[in-house]
Amino acid sequence: MEPFTLRVVEIIKGIPAGHVMTYGQIAAWAGSPRAARQVVRLLHSLSMKHGLPWHRVVNAKGEIAIQDVEGRDTQLFLLEQEGVVCLSGRIDLDKYRYEGPPHRDEDER
Protein backbone atom coordinates (compact mmCIF):
# COMPACT_ATOMS: atom_id res chain seq x y z
CA MET A 1 0.00 0.00 0.00
CA GLU A 2 1.07 3.55 -0.70
CA PRO A 3 1.97 5.74 2.33
CA PHE A 4 -1.08 7.98 1.80
CA THR A 5 -3.36 4.94 1.71
CA LEU A 6 -1.83 3.53 4.89
CA ARG A 7 -2.31 6.84 6.68
CA VAL A 8 -5.95 7.06 5.54
CA VAL A 9 -6.66 3.54 6.78
CA GLU A 10 -5.07 4.24 10.17
CA ILE A 11 -6.91 7.56 10.56
CA ILE A 12 -10.28 5.99 9.80
CA LYS A 13 -9.57 3.09 12.17
CA GLY A 14 -8.85 5.67 14.87
CA ILE A 15 -12.19 7.49 14.70
CA PRO A 16 -13.86 6.66 18.01
CA ALA A 17 -17.47 5.57 18.33
CA GLY A 18 -19.83 8.52 18.62
CA HIS A 19 -17.70 10.76 16.41
CA VAL A 20 -17.30 11.47 12.71
CA MET A 21 -14.66 12.89 10.40
CA THR A 22 -15.04 14.41 6.95
CA TYR A 23 -13.39 13.11 3.79
CA GLY A 24 -11.41 16.34 3.49
CA GLN A 25 -10.35 16.27 7.11
CA ILE A 26 -9.00 12.73 6.66
CA ALA A 27 -7.19 13.73 3.47
CA ALA A 28 -5.55 16.68 5.26
CA TRP A 29 -4.49 14.55 8.24
CA ALA A 30 -3.04 12.01 5.80
CA GLY A 31 -0.91 14.73 4.22
CA SER A 32 -2.85 15.61 1.08
CA PRO A 33 -5.53 18.23 1.84
CA ARG A 34 -6.90 18.22 -1.71
CA ALA A 35 -7.42 14.44 -1.86
CA ALA A 36 -10.92 14.11 -0.39
CA ARG A 37 -12.13 12.21 -3.47
CA GLN A 38 -9.24 9.78 -3.10
CA VAL A 39 -10.39 9.16 0.49
CA VAL A 40 -13.86 8.36 -0.87
CA ARG A 41 -12.39 5.79 -3.27
CA LEU A 42 -10.18 4.24 -0.61
CA LEU A 43 -13.04 4.03 1.85
CA HIS A 44 -15.20 2.33 -0.76
CA SER A 45 -12.56 -0.19 -1.78
CA LEU A 46 -10.89 -0.95 1.57
CA SER A 47 -13.64 -0.80 4.21
CA MET A 48 -14.50 -4.49 4.17
CA LYS A 49 -10.92 -5.72 3.79
CA HIS A 50 -9.62 -3.65 6.71
CA GLY A 51 -12.76 -3.57 8.88
CA LEU A 52 -12.97 0.20 8.71
CA PRO A 53 -15.71 2.08 10.57
CA TRP A 54 -16.84 3.57 7.23
CA HIS A 55 -20.06 4.89 8.75
CA ARG A 56 -18.10 7.49 10.74
CA VAL A 57 -17.06 9.39 7.62
CA VAL A 58 -19.31 12.14 6.22
CA ASN A 59 -19.02 15.03 3.80
CA ALA A 60 -17.92 18.56 4.69
CA LYS A 61 -21.51 19.63 5.39
CA GLY A 62 -22.00 16.82 7.91
CA GLU A 63 -24.20 14.92 5.48
CA ILE A 64 -24.21 11.25 4.61
CA ALA A 65 -22.86 11.14 1.08
CA ILE A 66 -24.07 7.66 0.13
CA GLN A 67 -26.64 7.91 -2.65
CA ASP A 68 -28.47 4.57 -2.43
CA VAL A 69 -31.22 4.43 0.16
CA GLU A 70 -30.14 1.17 1.78
CA GLY A 71 -26.54 2.30 2.31
CA ARG A 72 -27.68 5.69 3.55
CA ASP A 73 -30.11 4.13 6.03
CA THR A 74 -27.44 1.69 7.22
CA GLN A 75 -24.97 4.51 7.87
CA LEU A 76 -27.60 6.55 9.68
CA PHE A 77 -28.61 3.54 11.80
CA LEU A 78 -24.99 2.76 12.76
CA LEU A 79 -24.30 6.37 13.70
CA GLU A 80 -27.48 6.60 15.77
CA GLN A 81 -26.48 3.39 17.59
CA GLU A 82 -23.32 5.23 18.65
CA GLY A 83 -25.25 8.28 19.84
CA VAL A 84 -24.65 10.53 16.83
CA VAL A 85 -27.74 12.60 16.09
CA CYS A 86 -28.64 13.52 12.52
CA LEU A 87 -31.20 16.33 12.27
CA SER A 88 -32.65 17.45 8.93
CA GLY A 89 -30.12 15.26 7.13
CA ARG A 90 -27.08 16.78 8.83
CA ILE A 91 -24.78 15.89 11.67
CA ASP A 92 -23.60 18.74 13.89
CA LEU A 93 -19.88 18.73 13.14
CA ASP A 94 -19.18 21.14 15.99
CA LYS A 95 -20.50 18.49 18.37
CA TYR A 96 -19.52 15.17 16.76
CA ARG A 97 -16.39 15.88 14.67
CA TYR A 98 -13.34 13.99 15.89
CA GLU A 99 -10.41 16.37 16.19
CA GLY A 100 -7.88 13.76 17.23
CA PRO A 101 -6.32 12.67 20.48
CA PRO A 102 -5.46 15.41 22.95
CA HIS A 103 -1.94 16.71 22.59
CA ARG A 104 0.37 16.10 25.51
CA ASP A 105 3.01 18.55 26.61
CA GLU A 106 6.55 17.23 26.83
CA ASP A 107 6.46 17.86 30.61
CA GLU A 108 3.52 15.46 31.07
CA ARG A 109 5.44 12.38 29.85
Side-chain angles (χ1 to χ4, degrees):
M1 258 192 279
E2 296 291 323
F4 177 77
T5 302
L6 287 171
R7 289 191 299 271
V8 167
V9 167
E10 290 306 310
I11 291 165
I12 294 170
K13 282 183 177 180
I15 305 170
H19 292 83
V20 298
M21 287 183 79
T22 67
Y23 299 105
Q25 181 186 7
I26 293 166
W29 277 29
S32 189
R34 300 178 59 112
R37 288 183 187 218
Q38 181 65 17
V39 172
V40 172
R41 287 190 287 275
L42 292 171
L43 192 61
H44 178 75
S45 64
L46 299 176
S47 287
M48 295 277 282
K49 181 179 181 179
H50 293 278
L52 300 178
W54 60 271
H55 61 284
R56 297 180 187 145
V57 183
V58 298
N59 71 19
K61 296 177 185 177
E63 299 168 337
I64 294 173
I66 297 174
Q67 297 299 312
D68 74 274
V69 175
E70 184 178 347
R72 187 178 190 80
D73 288 348
T74 299
Q75 185 172 8
L76 182 58
F77 174 78
L78 292 171
L79 287 171
E80 287 176 343
Q81 292 297 303
E82 295 180 355
V84 176
V85 177
C86 184
L87 296 173
S88 302
R90 288 195 177 176
I91 294 160
D92 182 352
L93 293 177
D94 289 335
K95 183 173 183 178
Y96 296 106
R97 182 193 320 253
Y98 180 58
E99 297 291 352
H103 296 288
R104 292 176 30 187
D105 291 337
E106 294 295 318
D107 297 337
E108 293 179 352
R109 291 185 188 178

